Amino acid sequence: MTRFEADTPRERRKLFADAVSAHRDRGSAFLTIEAERLDDLDGEGPGPWIQFADQTFNMDVTEAELDRLKTLLSEFPEFRIDKLESPEEAEGTNVRITARSDANRLAGFADRVFQAVYGRDEAYRAWVTAV
């Protein structure tokens, strides 16, 4: 991979698909994608992130984001929630989604998560921060 950020739908999906392919080719432990932070949506800390490893997406969500994620999954019937964890000391839920598909379908899902679940607009900026 030679580029690590994008801010248009087409470029983001290509970036994410390239990252999935690089992750698989390298046999890396996981890949991480982060979206730009929006103070009015994200509060303190980093912006939203998604990790992918072993055919599984991993992300943290609030209760409202979890509802939106469940709705989004209806567009991706081959993906399913595998595990939900809500530790008492945490404000949200960690979600693991089994996602057996090709790099382009996985990339499309990741892009839709940032928009439909985390409230980013079509021109949001994303980075692949680990492959």
Side-chain angles (χ1 to χ4, degrees), residues 15-16 27 47 68 75 113 115:
L15 173 66
F16 298 169
R68 293 191 296 266
E75 297 175 27
V113 166
Q115 292 179 61

Side-chain angles (χ1 to χ4, degrees), residues 3-122:
R3 54 189 187 88
F4 295 94
E5 59 87 20
D7 62 3
T8 67
R10 183 171 182 236
E11 289 300 311
R12 278 193 310 270
R13 289 179 185 212
K14 179 163 180 13
L15 173 66
F16 298 169
D18 288 348
V20 168
S21 295
H23 160 72
R24 287 176 171 167
D25 290 347
R26 295 175 185 178
S28 64
F30 59 88
L31 76 88
T32 303
I33 304 168
E34 294 182 22
E36 65 188 325
R37 179 188 153 125
L38 302 176
D39 290 331
D40 58 332
L41 291 177
D42 299 322
E44 305 222 0
W49 54 268
I50 299 171
Q51 286 187 321
F52 181 77
D54 299 325
Q55 300 180 342
T56 302
F57 281 107
N58 179 34
M59 63 197 76
D60 289 338
V61 295
T62 64
E63 189 174 323
E65 291 166 344
L66 179 58
D67 289 341
R68 293 191 296 266
L69 178 59
K70 288 177 179 178
T71 299
L72 175 63
L73 284 169
S74 68
E75 297 175 27
F76 295 84
E78 71 276 30
F79 296 1
R80 73 173 196 287
I81 293 177
D82 193 44
K83 189 173 189 180
L84 298 172
E85 288 185 291
S86 299
E88 285 184 29
E89 66 276 1
E91 292 182 23
T93 300
N94 180 263
V95 182
R96 295 186 187 215
I97 298 170
T98 301
R100 292 179 179 92
S101 195
D102 64 80
N104 289 324
R105 183 78 168 152
L106 297 169
F109 177 74
D111 192 41
R112 293 282 294 129
V113 166
F114 285 118
Q115 292 179 61
V117 176
Y118 292 122
R120 296 309 185 263
D121 64 23
E122 192 171 292

